[in-house]
Amino acid sequence: GQARPVEAREARQGQARPGKARQAKPSQAKARQGKAAHQRGPTDDIMEGDIFFCGPDRWGIHHVVLCCGEMTTADTEITEKIVRHHPELARETVLCCNTIECTRPFRGQDFPWYPAESVYVLRRATGELLLVGDIADGSLVLGITDQPVPVKILLHPFRSGRSDAPFDGGVFRAAMERCARESRRWSKGTALKAITARRSCLSADEYPDPDSRQELMEQLRRSWDKKPICSSVAIKVWQRYFEMLCPPGPKGLDLAAQHILRWMPVLSDRTAPSMLLKTLSTCGWMLRSSFSRSSAAGGA
């Protein structure tokens, strides 16, 4: 949803780019051992389905990344490599989290969307979260950013104690896998349409009955098939999740449309990152720009 969404990705990927450090990781077996040794970090309120907003870049645009799992403390080797290239972060906490995104210059090895283990730093003094690198899915190479990238997070409302509707991680992962398999490459045309779109969000008042909501679902499915921008990933996965969560048939489809109008009322091919953040902040999602070791889920 941004005109130049690659800026955050260019800064962090580091593949054949000047100023980027590429670090070889250990063998697959050692990498798995390191991941198993991860400990819960101070940002343990972050969970799959949350949405990262990285940046802004020099054009004032954020890059949207979907969280695919809990955030954990990085293993020693990753921490040492980050500190080696960013010694000013030596006293900070290094964290890892699986993510997926859509960006212009990079893609995954199996489909156009880009899955990775993203690496962050939590500043102890301010609670600010910074993106400092990533490891592409299927790779043993750590890319480190030239400069840490500020990160804000939208926490979804389906958390224990915050919503009567439980979060189904299995269905969410199935929706994410399906969307990734169906994914297409990032589109400049879609980005321009999102930036210039006049409509801000979908209103439940405009879909008062099952027939109108059925038409809405048809419109949403058409938008899912369009070439994406960075914000499309989170939108499509969450909307597909609501569809897969509901039973088959007309009643289930109508219920899915109602969930979408309540929790993700935007079009995946017409919504820029700034509009996504603005809209979801009014739909029960909680914006966080800082964390602390004592932060609890849903806390300020």
Side-chain angles (χ1 to χ4, degrees):
Q2 56 195 49
R4 295 291 300 275
V6 300
E7 290 304 312
R9 286 300 311 154
E10 289 178 352
R12 66 190 274 204
Q13 173 61 23
Q15 186 172 33
R17 293 185 181 275
K20 289 288 301 197
R22 302 298 293 176
Q23 292 290 332
K25 287 195 70 185
S27 65
Q28 288 279 5
K30 186 175 180 181
R32 286 194 295 268
Q33 292 172 2
K35 185 178 289 291
H38 283 175
Q39 301 296 318
R40 295 283 287 185
T43 53
D44 57 0
D45 45 343
I46 296 173
M47 62 183 292
E48 61 184 334
D50 291 337
I51 304 174
F52 297 100
F53 290 79
C54 307
D57 61 18
R58 53 184 167 175
W59 289 276
I61 298 172
H62 287 82
H63 180 62
V64 178
V65 179
L66 182 63
C67 177
C68 302
E70 67 180 24
M71 185 170 282
T72 57
T73 304
D75 61 45
T76 301
E77 184 174 7
I78 290 177
T79 298
E80 289 176 348
K81 292 181 186 301
I82 294 298
V83 172
R84 184 182 307 160
H85 293 278
H86 290 295
E88 74 279 9
L89 302 177
R91 299 180 63 84
E92 314 296 0
T93 304
V94 182
L95 305 163
C96 290
C97 181
N98 289 333
T99 58
I100 192 166
E101 61 194 276
C102 177
T103 184
R104 180 164 54 184
F106 305 109
R107 57 167 293 157
Q109 61 178 357
D110 297 322
F111 37 74
W113 287 0
Y114 180 81
E117 181 179 21
S118 295
V119 184
Y120 302 87
V121 162
L122 181 71
R123 287 197 178 277
R124 296 170 182 264
T126 64
E128 181 185 14
L129 196 64
L130 304 170
L131 175 68
V132 292
D134 73 10
I135 306 166
D137 188 45
S139 171
L140 295 177
V141 179
L142 170 64
I144 303 175
T145 62
D146 289 329
Q147 297 295 328
V149 180
V151 177
K152 294 184 288 189
I153 307 176
L154 274 177
L155 305 180
H156 70 72
F158 301 100
R159 287 166 149 75
S160 177
R162 286 196 59 199
S163 173
D164 294 333
F167 179 75
D168 191 320
V171 174
F172 189 85
R173 287 185 287 276
M176 185 164 49
E177 175 69 18
R178 179 173 177 179
C179 290
R181 294 294 174 186
E182 298 171 349
S183 66
R184 302 176 67 183
R185 295 303 302 271
W186 182 89
S187 168
K188 181 178 180 180
T190 303
L192 294 175
K193 289 178 182 177
I195 291 173
T196 58
R198 295 182 178 181
R199 184 169 188 170
S200 58
C201 64
L202 303 171
S203 172
D205 293 338
E206 297 179 7
Y207 305 93
D209 53 63
D211 288 340
S212 62
R213 290 191 288 269
Q214 181 178 352
E215 293 179 2
L216 169 63
M217 290 303 298
E218 293 173 357
Q219 180 184 13
L220 292 174
R221 286 168 174 165
R222 289 193 297 270
S223 73
W224 297 344
D225 290 336
K226 300 291 181 61
K227 290 184 177 181
I229 51 179
C230 68
S231 52
S232 302
V233 174
I235 297 170
K236 182 176 179 179
V237 171
W238 269 102
Q239 290 179 346
R240 181 72 81 177
Y241 166 75
F242 290 128
E243 181 187 50
M244 295 173 65
L245 190 66
C246 296
K251 290 185 178 180
L253 195 65
D254 184 58
L255 182 59
Q258 293 180 56
H259 286 327
I260 290 170
L261 288 168
R262 174 66 182 89
W263 304 110
M264 187 60 72
V266 290
L267 295 173
S268 63
D269 64 330
R270 290 289 189 275
T271 306
S274 58
M275 184 53 64
L276 179 63
L277 192 154
K278 179 180 179 181
T279 299
L280 296 189
S281 295
T282 67
C283 295
W285 295 65
M286 180 172 289
L287 180 63
R288 295 286 298 275
S289 57
S290 64
F291 295 84
S292 67
R293 289 187 174 277
S294 60
S295 63

